[in-house]
Amino acid sequence: MKKVFEIYIRTTPCRLWTAITAPDRSVTRDLGARVTSDWTPGSDFELRHPGTGARLGSGVNLEVVPPRRLVQRTVALWSDDVRDAGITRVTWAIETVGDACRLTVVHDQIRDGADHDLYSGWPATLSSLKAHLETCRSWADLPVSVR
């Protein structure tokens, strides 16, 4: 199974790359997790809950081409149901479109019947990233009428 998510964000490729990869500015930060890695091909990465330190996911960076492409092999760990899905792949592709970037996230190599929670959070994660980069506020900080 393959899930494709696309969003346009008024920013530069370098700012977008930094928002995805910098631990203190990570896209997942706004949703309660923090990503760490040295962002080299073959290196490990890890998602952790900042309050408890619990591992939410981990994997390997397969391709790292700043600021354009990141391919990761990943295992979600936040529940038994998503853990049972096993290893999946996430590809982040950044393209310049005028004064904005098109961010395409492809989450694939998902086994049929995998728990919906494995990939259902992508729209909120990407919306949070867009809100943060375009307004310097997180998705959670925006008024409900804007969300």
Side-chain angles (χ1 to χ4, degrees), residues 7 41 50 53 58 64 70 73 82 87 114 117 126 135 139 141-142:
I7 193 164
S58 65
V64 182
L70 176 63
R73 185 175 58 224
V82 297
I87 298 170
D117 284 345
L126 299 180
T135 69
W139 176 253
D141 292 338
L142 294 174

Side-chain angles (χ1 to χ4, degrees), residues 28-60:
T28 54
R29 172 198 65 193
D30 296 329
L31 299 177
R34 183 179 174 122
V35 63
T36 56
S37 178
D38 70 6
W39 304 113
T40 58
S43 66
D44 293 334
F45 72 92
E46 191 170 71
L47 290 168
R48 286 198 175 268
H49 187 280
T52 66
R55 278 189 351 151
L56 301 174
S58 65
V60 174

